[in-house]
Amino acid sequence: MIQRKRISLIGAGNIGGTLAHMIALKGLGDIILFDINKGAAHGKALDILESSPIDRFSINIIGTNDYKDIQGSDAVIITAGMARKPGMSRDDLLKTNALVMQNVAENIKQYSSDAFVIVVTNPLDAMVSVVHKYSGLPTNKVVGMAGVLDSARFRYFLANALDVSVEDVHAFVLGGHGDTMVPLVHYTSIAGIPLTHMINTGLITQKTVDEIIKRTRNGGKEIVDLLQSGSAYYSPASSAVCMLESYLCNKRRILPCAAYLDGEYGVKGLFIGVPAIIGKNGIEKILEIKMNNDEQQMFNQSVDAVLKLTQKT
């Protein structure tokens, strides 16, 4: 009998359901889809399973509202909590979602203390800290999904402005998952050509790049305002699956994510968005990069904002 990886998804809302479907299509492992609302996880699990003969996947999906079912998970992705509504900031969710994260973390500690945990719930950076605190997991096994998503938005907007393939745009966004995030123009390239060179040669203007940076920072809000009754879920799910796959398959991809810093970048004891290698041991290495003065100042401001938010939990 094939021994598959066990992947628990905490929260069966839009992101949780999309995660389950994507993980099933990729065949990454058996899925435990958990939600406190009775029937929500069961219904989505059954719906996805009924597509398996068409899409030809053979993994198992269990819908549950009992934490005991996450026993022995190899990985856990947390999407539970209140989503943003129009007019709300990510920070407005702090107290409500901190209580949710505490409860989730305590159950992970009880039933899946060896899991690699990816937190998606907002306000992201603060929620990762709460999960780490109450789960008792080592810092290399708890991480926040933010930088992958923010970087994807930045890359898409740039590709669209330049009218080139998104596959050729390479960039990453550091710092907190909020208004203070730091898209690094200095490290952005298009098919190996620095973005700064493209600005200097007139292929794109500095004004357009500045507008793209602003749009990236407001990327989540833009979708919330358009939907009116929910927040983004396709791109956050894709981002989390990217991180999950790097862990389960030991891909050792370099991905921007909210990782625990223990002196790197001059920051100690805080989860913040930085480039990190994700492999079979979780966060295996934090990569420190040199920023110019403007980027460093923005990064420091982002760290301060995350610290203030985390201290409120």
Side-chain angles (χ1 to χ4, degrees), residues 112-133:
S112 289
S113 58
D114 292 325
F116 178 60
V117 178
I118 301 170
V119 181
V120 180
T121 304
N122 279 319
L124 190 280
D125 309 276
M127 295 303 100
V128 184
S129 292
V130 174
V131 170
H132 171 248
K133 177 180 178 180

Side-chain angles (χ1 to χ4, degrees), residues 88-108:
M88 293 179 68
S89 70
R90 293 182 178 95
D91 297 356
D92 290 336
L93 307 173
L94 182 66
K95 291 185 178 180
T96 298
N97 285 349
L99 292 173
V100 175
M101 292 304 101
Q102 179 179 341
N103 179 253
V104 172
E106 288 170 345
N107 279 284
I108 290 173

Side-chain angles (χ1 to χ4, degrees), residues 4-260:
R4 301 188 187 93
K5 299 292 186 182
R6 285 174 60 83
I7 304 162
S8 289
L9 308 176
I10 310 300
N14 285 333
I15 299 179
T18 304
L19 277 168
H21 193 207
M22 292 183 68
I23 291 167
L25 290 172
K26 284 178 171 283
L28 294 178
D30 289 334
I31 299 166
I32 301 92
L33 183 58
F34 172 93
D35 201 282
I36 58 172
N37 295 316
K38 190 173 182 179
H42 303 73
K44 288 192 177 179
L46 181 58
D47 191 14
I48 295 169
L49 284 169
E50 288 171 355
S51 74
S52 62
I54 303 166
D55 290 320
R56 299 187 179 185
F57 60 82
S58 300
I59 60 106
N60 297 318
I61 308 176
I62 298 170
T64 183
N65 59 342
D66 189 340
Y67 272 112
K68 290 180 182 178
D69 290 326
I70 74 168
Q71 181 83 40
S73 298
D74 294 283
V76 178
I77 303 178
I78 305 172
T79 67
M82 182 188 296
R84 273 202 292 173
K85 297 178 176 65
M88 293 179 68
S89 70
R90 293 182 178 95
D91 297 356
D92 290 336
L93 307 173
L94 182 66
K95 291 185 178 180
T96 298
N97 285 349
L99 292 173
V100 175
M101 292 304 101
Q102 179 179 341
N103 179 253
V104 172
E106 288 170 345
N107 279 284
I108 290 173
K109 183 177 184 178
Q110 181 175 356
Y111 297 112
S112 289
S113 58
D114 292 325
F116 178 60
V117 178
I118 301 170
V119 181
V120 180
T121 304
N122 279 319
L124 190 280
D125 309 276
M127 295 303 100
V128 184
S129 292
V130 174
V131 170
H132 171 248
K133 177 180 178 180
Y134 290 100
S135 68
L137 290 170
T139 54
N140 64 303
K141 299 299 284 289
V142 184
V143 67
M145 186 294 298
V148 176
L149 171 60
D150 297 330
S151 300
R153 286 171 172 161
F154 187 45
R155 291 163 61 197
Y156 169 72
F157 297 148
L158 282 171
N160 196 42
L162 288 163
D163 195 20
V164 299
S165 171
V166 292
E167 296 179 36
D168 291 328
V169 180
H170 303 279
F172 56 90
V173 177
L174 303 188
H177 183 51
D179 298 339
T180 61
M181 68 179 70
V182 188
L184 292 177
V185 173
H186 184 58
Y187 284 95
T188 301
S189 64
I190 293 82
I193 304 168
L195 178 59
T196 50
H197 175 79
M198 291 194 157
I199 294 170
N200 292 336
T201 55
L203 291 172
I204 189 170
T205 66
Q206 183 65 56
K207 181 182 177 183
T208 298
V209 172
D210 290 342
E211 289 171 349
I212 287 172
I213 289 173
K214 183 178 179 180
R215 191 179 181 192
T216 300
R217 288 174 173 154
N218 293 314
K221 180 181 183 300
E222 182 178 358
I223 291 174
V224 168
D225 290 345
L226 289 167
L227 292 176
Q228 289 294 305
S229 60
S231 55
Y233 51 98
Y234 294 117
S235 51
S238 292
S239 303
V241 169
C242 174
M243 297 167 68
L244 173 69
E245 193 169 17
S246 190
Y247 170 71
L248 293 178
C249 303
N250 193 30
K251 284 190 168 186
R252 293 181 57 79
R253 292 198 60 190
I254 299 171
L255 300 170
C257 51
Y260 185 84

